[in-house]
Amino acid sequence: MIGEAGRGIPTIIEMANYTRLTCSVGSSAMLRQALVQCLAYTRQRKAFGKHLAEHPLMQAVLTDLALETEAAVQLSFHLAHCYDAEDDLSLAWKRIMTPASKFWICKRAVELTGEMMEVFGGNGYVETGIMARIFKEAPVNTIWEGSGNVMCLDVLRAISHDHESIELLFHSFAETASQEPVLQNELQSLFRLFSQSNSHDLQFTARALVSRLVILAQAVLLKQHAPDFVSDAFIQTRYREFHGQVVGMIDPKTVDVEKLLERALASE
Ligand SMILES: Cc1cc2nc3c(=O)[nH]c(=O)nc-3n(C[C@H](O)[C@H](O)[C@H](O)COP(=O)(O)OP(=O)(O)OC[C@H]3O[C@@H](n4cnc5c(N)ncnc54)[C@H](O)[C@@H]3O)c2cc1C
């Protein structure tokens, strides 16, 4: 017996939560590894007369990838930190944000490792190279330990069993979110949506709600822990512009591309 008799599901859920956390950490690590490969590669590969990293359109792609990677790492490590604590807020993070992060970060890693493979051009597609290997590895984290839909349903289950936990979580975001009208509005709108009682509608929209919850949490964490040029760029690109259909939709007038790329991998 590894748990109390009659308490099988709670026992296995505790184990599953740990492995779901490692899925988020693992996919964040894949993103970080692939990003570093991209930054290093584009600084030495020349096409059309200069290094790939010097071409504005490639800079837009790399900047977007760097922002998303930093947000994924920040979220994963904050979540891991909560596993070392027993206070009510950390418990709410563990219960709600573990499946939410696994859903979002692992799923984004599938798309973004494909984008990062493309940064290498034809070389990226070569089976024995690192980019093809990372790309091939990424989907397993979305599937095992509960696939995407199951993660979203688990977020809803956690909230319906203990509505106070989402109140606590949103309350902890409130002070930071109040510094940015767009975050403040998102927080209020999401709280209303998560509090609705129509279970069919909640399930139907769960992917959208959980995605928005994770992006809000990432924005708050970046505002709390990263330099302003990172959090401002994240919020500006994720909330204020057309975003999400393809990597690289960055406005260079409002985002400090040079600083972000130097932060992602310092030049020698
Ligand atoms: C490489 C690998 C190693 C594994 N190792 C282990 C292991 O060591 N031990 C172990 O126990 N398991 C292991 N698994 C199993 C893994 O955890 C399951 O495959 C995974 O949880 C998905 O469950 P399933 O295959 O039963 O898919 P299903 O439950 O049939 O899901 C199929 C699809 O339906 C969706 N879905 C399911 N329910 C709903 C719903 N209510 N509403 C909407 N959509 C829904 C899912 O999101 C998924 O997209 C492993 C899997 C892989 C790929």
Side-chain angles (χ1 to χ4, degrees):
M1 291 288 285
I2 55 167
E4 216 181 303
R7 305 273 305 156
I9 295 296
T11 304
I12 201 168
I13 286 291
E14 168 139 21
M15 181 280 294
N17 262 349
Y18 271 98
T19 46
R20 288 169 183 175
L21 166 68
T22 61
C23 289
S24 295
V25 173
S27 289
S28 302
M30 276 182 221
L31 287 174
R32 176 70 196 155
Q33 183 184 19
L35 174 71
V36 169
Q37 293 287 340
C38 288
L39 292 168
Y41 184 81
T42 54
R43 287 174 192 178
Q44 55 86 27
R45 159 84 173 155
K46 280 189 175 164
F48 297 94
K50 52 185 175 182
H51 289 122
L52 285 177
E54 293 167 306
H55 290 282
L57 187 51
M58 181 59 88
Q59 290 173 346
V61 171
L62 294 172
T63 303
D64 210 0
L65 292 170
L67 278 173
E68 179 112 9
T69 301
E70 179 151 356
V73 171
Q74 190 72 248
L75 178 63
S76 293
F77 284 122
H78 183 81
L79 186 58
H81 180 66
C82 293
Y83 276 73
D84 288 335
E86 287 295 329
D87 59 285
D88 289 347
L89 179 58
S90 298
L91 292 176
W93 260 89
K94 276 156 62 174
R95 188 61 194 95
I96 298 173
M97 294 310 292
T98 303
S101 303
K102 180 187 181 298
F103 165 70
W104 179 254
I105 295 175
C106 300
K107 198 161 281 300
R108 293 295 289 160
V110 174
E111 183 190 335
L112 297 186
T113 53
E115 190 69 61
M116 292 181 188
M117 181 169 67
E118 189 177 324
V119 167
F120 277 61
N123 282 341
Y125 195 68
V126 175
E127 184 78 17
T128 48
I130 188 164
M131 301 312 284
R133 181 168 67 70
I134 295 173
F135 176 67
K136 199 168 171 181
E137 192 179 347
V140 74
N141 279 348
T142 67
I143 298 174
W144 65 7
E145 289 305 332
S147 36
N149 287 355
V150 171
M151 290 303 91
C152 292
L153 295 175
D154 198 36
V155 172
L156 298 185
R157 191 175 310 113
I159 293 170
S160 79
H161 282 183
D162 178 13
H163 201 263
E164 273 179 27
S165 58
I166 188 95
E167 287 171 19
L168 203 56
L169 194 64
F170 275 54
H171 184 69
S172 75
F173 295 162
E175 193 184 330
T176 305
S178 70
Q179 298 160 21
E180 285 283 345
V182 72
L183 296 186
Q184 172 100 331
N185 290 341
E186 179 67 351
L187 187 139
Q188 286 165 357
S189 151
L190 260 185
F191 188 73
R192 268 196 307 277
L193 289 166
F194 273 119
S195 304
Q196 65 185 298
S197 54
N198 184 327
S199 139
H200 172 272
D201 288 1
L202 261 174
Q203 283 197 28
F204 203 89
T205 54
R207 279 182 175 229
L209 295 182
V210 173
S211 305
R212 286 172 61 185
L213 172 64
V214 173
I215 293 170
L216 176 65
Q218 288 178 323
V220 166
L221 288 174
L222 288 174
K223 265 198 92 59
Q224 290 170 346
H225 302 291
D228 286 350
F229 67 86
V230 176
S231 55
D232 289 350
F234 185 83
I235 293 163
Q236 193 261 329
T237 52
R238 271 60 188 167
Y239 287 107
R240 290 188 189 146
E241 275 181 358
F242 170 74
H243 180 265
Q245 294 195 2
V246 71
V247 171
M249 311 293 271
I250 296 268
D251 179 358
K253 290 190 210 71
T254 51
V255 170
D256 196 332
V257 170
E258 206 176 312
K259 263 186 165 167
L260 282 162
L261 293 179
E262 182 64 16
R263 175 176 169 81
L265 181 66
S267 308
E268 283 172 16

